[in-house]
Amino acid sequence: MALEPGLVINDTYRVERLLGEGGMAEVYKVVHTRLPKHFALKLMKLDGGERSQFLARFRREAEILGTLNHPHIVEVNDWNKLPDGSPYLVMELLEGEDLDTFLRRTGQLTQAVTLHICKQVGEALFAAHLGGIVHRDLKPGNVFLAKNGAFPNFVKVLDFGVAKLFSPETTPLTANATLMGTPAYMAPEQALGRIEQIDPRTDQFALAAMAYEMLSGQQAFYRDGDSVFTILERIVQGETPALPPHVSEPVQKAITRALSKKKEERFPSMKEFLAALGADQEVILAKGAAPRSLSNQSTFEKNAGDITQPPRRPSSLSPIHFAVIAAVALIMAAAGVYFFFAVK
């Protein structure tokens, strides 16, 4: 149920308004009742019977984000439940827009702006990887460009809700042959449901796919009208797409290598990928280099996770894909592989 403005949650957070909603969550702007500070409260939308199934995943997102202390990773301040058992996260309130929205407005980006964004995303992911965490759902919708950051296009990486703890001593909550994430940005091992093969190089592939999109103005593995199965088939078996000729040769080579079908052929770590891109050094943006700088945009308050946005292209799963997904499952079942698509 929707939270009404003025409602006080656990004697701590007063609801001001709804910021956005998606299939499994609503995000509200709230104010602390004892401190003059605003937050974003992410509330899971689930019926009583579904809560236990997804509660572990939601709690894991809180615990994962709570351990990651990095300027380019969204900060989590609290986690709790409503009286009816609905869990929620309390996160920093961000002003700006996600990269998906930014690209819909600006289209193709310059190489300087692309590297500026990749540097920040890569640094955040490298920090997560050092902590034994793979994001595994990296996409433009989970990269937020904050207008109230230290400089234009200040990145916050969002939504570690399907992250995988890959340290040897941990036990993943998902079984093998489970497909989680957004098809257009999945690495081949992820598209095939080989969960045990997912590691930091899986995130490297996704960042390379995003870099390709920023530089070319189109997705690397999605074309208009593609079904989910077509996207996955292209990722697993298709040729690595060529970048536009204006992209420098070192950047082209770095992205091509990071998009290798075999993870062993990608860079050993995110740090080495950033170095090959030339994004490991500080990228200086000349005045006016960033298309329509966010500082000139009206305030758009939002926090990550399951926010409904006008689709730029169908890169993530939605109800209209269920028929296609069913067909994919039947095809894969014939080969002895079973997929479960987790729609966030």
Side-chain angles (χ1 to χ4, degrees), residues 6-65:
L7 175 69
V8 176
I9 300 173
N10 291 329
D11 297 322
T12 305
Y13 305 104
R14 180 179 293 109
V15 177
E16 290 196 349
R17 64 185 178 90
L18 178 69
L19 293 177
E21 61 181 310
M24 288 181 61
E26 297 170 344
V27 178
Y28 294 87
K29 181 180 180 180
V30 299
V31 61
H32 200 284
T33 57
R34 296 178 295 280
L35 299 172
K37 188 172 182 179
H38 286 89
F39 297 94
L41 186 147
K42 177 180 176 181
L43 175 68
M44 180 176 284
K45 294 193 307 181
L46 292 171
D47 295 331
E50 298 175 307
R51 287 187 188 126
S52 59
Q53 180 182 358
F54 292 96
L55 184 59
R57 174 184 162 188
F58 196 86
R59 177 179 295 174
R60 180 177 63 180
E61 180 175 357
E63 294 172 347
I64 288 173
L65 288 172

Side-chain angles (χ1 to χ4, degrees), residues 23 56 105 163 184 313 316 329:
R105 188 180 72 251
R313 61 269 178 212
S316 59

Side-chain angles (χ1 to χ4, degrees), residues 265-344:
E265 296 176 359
R266 300 171 207 153
F267 294 94
S269 73
M270 186 65 72
K271 183 177 181 180
E272 282 135 317
F273 175 41
L274 293 180
L277 277 176
D280 58 333
Q281 303 298 319
E282 186 65 34
V283 179
I284 305 299
L285 296 181
K287 185 178 180 180
R292 298 191 189 182
S293 174
L294 289 178
S295 61
N296 297 324
Q297 302 299 317
S298 59
T299 298
F300 178 77
E301 295 171 316
K302 171 189 167 183
N303 203 312
D306 310 299
I307 302 298
T308 300
Q309 301 252 10
R312 177 158 53 96
R313 61 269 178 212
S315 59
S316 59
L317 300 179
S318 66
I320 63 174
H321 289 129
F322 286 158
V324 177
I325 292 170
V328 175
L330 289 175
I331 293 171
M332 296 303 178
V337 180
Y338 298 87
F339 290 118
F340 169 75
F341 287 81
V343 181
K344 296 194 296 176

Side-chain angles (χ1 to χ4, degrees), residues 67-137:
T67 64
L68 299 177
N69 183 19
H70 192 276
H72 296 302
I73 296 177
V74 65
E75 180 182 348
V76 168
N77 303 94
D78 197 5
W79 127 265
N80 210 331
K81 293 185 289 185
L82 297 181
D84 69 357
S86 299
Y88 64 83
L89 288 176
V90 179
M91 299 176 282
E92 62 178 315
L93 184 66
L94 302 176
E95 297 178 7
E97 62 188 348
D98 63 35
L99 181 59
D100 185 74
T101 304
F102 187 50
L103 289 175
R104 275 191 275 121
R105 188 180 72 251
T106 64
Q108 179 179 315
L109 303 181
T110 66
Q111 182 167 304
V113 175
T114 298
L115 296 185
H116 177 64
I117 293 173
C118 286
K119 176 182 188 295
Q120 299 173 76
V121 175
E123 288 177 346
L125 292 172
F126 184 62
H129 297 163
L130 290 177
I133 297 166
V134 178
H135 190 290
R136 79 176 182 176
D137 192 24

